[in-house]
Amino acid sequence: MDFSETYRFSGPLPVCSPNGKYIASATEYRLVVRDALTTQVVQIYSCIDKISDVHWCPNSTYIMCGLVKRAIVQVWSVVEPDWTCKIDEGLAGAEAVRWSPDGLHILVTADFQIRITIWSLASKSFVYISGPKHATRGIKFSPDSKYMAVAERKECKDIISMYTCTSWSLVHQFPISTSDLEDLAWSPDCACFVAWDTCLTYKLVVCTPQGETLTVYSAYPNALGIKSVEWSPSGQMLAVGSFDQAGLPVTCLFSMYTSIT
């Protein structure tokens, strides 16, 4: 096994591009992109402040740097070095940033989960989604990249909102029977999704994208809850990890495919 020489970095961990061609590392306010095979420097970008987040877009064309303290996002193009983009959230702040599946939109969650701003790199327009429950959790794209599920909290109840990823318009909105939703995950075939409660309540709910509850599961009452959830590749089973360190497989069989329309 061969090893390259060491390279200095600070802040977020270095990240590989989805296509495996590049490695990006941040050192204070500088972003260095290297060739993954030769480790030669491909591009060096300078941001206006210390880099806190680095994210590649799904097609490896753009790379995004989050400057959370300044509520600014800077985007660079690997194939067009002269192309740049700067997003300033101003007083709203920026607690979390992420790419959309198409690699042409950037989602910025404001401080205190006031809103999600969806910025288009193509049209330079933006759309607001008010009041997500979490900044880094509870916001998931369907595996086919057509829809986005967002967990919200209204009138002391958990709500799931479904948005289309083409126009970012609301498709469905419905309550879910969790007491304090922690996170959610789509099934591989997009037929349903699973949501679960915080560590204080052991409860797992499987729903269709239209809001129909398929199953509710609780292993035991009055004990610590769910730590992790993972779908099987077929979408027929769930592996549930609990805070009691016991792995609990849950079988969920569905006889029909449900679309979101």
Side-chain angles (χ1 to χ4, degrees):
M1 182 180 292
D2 296 327
F3 295 92
S4 70
E5 61 180 290
T6 59
Y7 299 100
R8 180 176 177 268
F9 78 94
S10 61
L13 291 174
V15 288
C16 292
S17 61
N19 63 8
K21 291 184 178 181
Y22 307 106
I23 301 174
S25 59
T27 303
E28 297 297 333
Y29 62 90
R30 298 176 65 194
L31 179 71
V32 181
V33 178
R34 299 179 183 273
D35 186 281
L37 293 178
T38 64
T39 69
Q40 295 296 313
V41 175
V42 177
Q43 296 289 345
I44 298 177
Y45 305 108
S46 295
C47 295
I48 62 175
D49 206 337
K50 185 177 180 179
I51 300 170
S52 55
D53 296 279
V54 177
H55 301 281
W56 285 96
C57 77
N59 61 12
S60 304
T61 303
Y62 303 103
I63 187 166
M64 170 174 58
C65 295
L67 317 179
V68 174
K69 291 184 178 179
R70 296 277 293 268
I72 289 175
V73 177
Q74 290 187 261
V75 188
W76 315 91
S77 172
V78 179
V79 296
E80 299 180 42
D82 295 332
W83 186 94
T84 62
C85 173
K86 177 185 172 184
I87 297 172
D88 191 343
E89 283 289 313
L91 296 177
E95 188 170 341
V97 295
R98 73 187 75 200
W99 286 99
S100 66
D102 63 3
L104 295 176
H105 296 83
I106 293 175
L107 284 73
V108 183
T109 305
D111 290 342
F112 309 109
Q113 295 82 58
I114 297 173
R115 70 189 184 200
I116 300 173
T117 308
I118 303 172
W119 298 86
S120 172
L121 299 184
S123 65
K124 300 181 181 180
S125 60
F126 59 89
V127 176
Y128 289 137
I129 295 177
S130 300
K133 184 174 182 179
H134 303 294
T136 58
R137 308 184 307 278
I139 304 171
K140 296 296 173 64
F141 294 98
S142 60
D144 60 8
S145 303
K146 292 183 178 180
Y147 302 98
M148 178 178 68
V150 180
E152 302 175 4
R153 186 80 172 176
K154 296 181 179 180
E155 297 179 356
C156 299
K157 293 182 179 180
D158 289 327
I159 302 290
I160 299 295
S161 296
M162 292 286 172
Y163 296 88
T164 174
C165 292
T166 54
S167 62
W168 305 105
S169 58
L170 183 65
V171 180
H172 295 291
Q173 188 176 71
F174 49 87
I176 192 166
S177 60
T178 51
S179 58
D180 189 6
L181 189 148
E182 176 70 11
D183 206 351
L184 55 90
W186 284 89
S187 65
D189 59 2
C190 306
C192 59
F193 68 91
V194 59
W196 58 95
D197 259 314
T198 62
C199 61
L200 299 179
T201 305
Y202 200 117
K203 189 175 185 180
L204 178 148
V205 183
V206 180
C207 295
T208 67
Q210 295 82 11
E212 178 187 355
T213 299
L214 299 177
T215 186
V216 178
Y217 180 80
S218 179
Y220 38 69
N222 304 320
L224 289 178
I226 296 171
K227 188 175 184 179
S228 60
V229 175
E230 189 71 30
W231 283 96
S232 68
S234 66
Q236 298 297 304
M237 297 188 68
L238 283 169
V240 183
S242 308
F243 277 95
D244 60 5
Q245 306 302 317
L248 196 61
V250 181
T251 302
C252 301
L253 300 177
F254 305 107
S255 59
M256 65 176 183
Y257 182 86
T258 304
S259 64
I260 198 170
T261 55

